[in-house]
Amino acid sequence: LVQFVQSAGGSVQAGGSLRLSCVTSGDFVSTEYTCVWIRQAPGKEREGVATINSVNRTKYADSVKGRFTISHEKPMSTLYLQMNSLQPEDTAMYYCAAKWGYALDQNPKIYDYWGQGTQVTVSS
C-alpha cells in the first residue's frame, strides 16, 4: 500500500513563492513509477501541472513552465513542487499522486495513489 501525506500549502501575494512537499508512507518497491502534481481550481477540472518519473524525466503544463519545478528524493520518499512567480490563477487545491510505469501522462484519471490535498491561495 502506498500513501502520501502532503505538507500544508499557504497564501502568498502575486510574484511570491511556495514549496509543496509530499511524503510517502509505504513501499515504492517498483523502480518504475511516475509522480505528478495535480491542481483543481474552484469550478474547474483537475489539471496535471508537473510530472516526474523514476528516471528523472519531467514534463510541465504550459501554464507553469519556467515557474514551477518538480523534484523528488530517491529512492522515492518525498516529492516536491517549487512554485515561483505565483499568480492569482495558480490558486487551487494541489494534490500529489503516483502510478506505476514511466509514462509522463498528466491525465489525473490514471493515477492510483493520492495525497490528501493542500490549498494554495495567491492574492493580487
Side-chain angles (χ1 to χ4, degrees), residues 5-8 19-23 37 78-81 96 118:
V5 177
Q6 295 185 226
S7 63
R19 189 175 82 155
L20 304 181
S21 62
C22 179
V23 179
W37 286 97
T78 306
L79 180 71
Y80 300 100
L81 184 68
C96 59
T118 188

Side-chain angles (χ1 to χ4, degrees), residues 101-113:
Y102 289 128
L104 292 171
D105 197 318
Q106 296 187 315
N107 180 356
K109 296 180 181 179
I110 67 170
Y111 285 82
D112 299 310
Y113 309 104

Side-chain angles (χ1 to χ4, degrees), residues 16-80:
S17 298
L18 281 174
R19 189 175 82 155
L20 304 181
S21 62
C22 179
V23 179
T24 63
S25 61
D27 294 325
F28 254 89
V29 296
S30 171
T31 58
E32 299 180 14
Y33 59 82
T34 299
C35 296
V36 65
W37 286 97
I38 291 163
R39 69 185 180 187
Q40 186 168 24
K44 295 188 176 181
E45 294 188 354
R46 288 180 174 178
E47 171 193 23
V49 297
T51 314
I52 189 168
N53 66 15
S54 48
V55 292
N56 286 329
R57 294 192 67 182
T58 59
K59 182 177 180 179
Y60 296 92
D62 289 342
S63 58
V64 306
K65 202 172 293 183
R67 300 188 298 123
F68 289 12
T69 302
I70 188 172
S71 62
H72 60 173
E73 294 178 355
K74 293 186 69 179
M76 179 59 191
S77 61
T78 306
L79 180 71
Y80 300 100

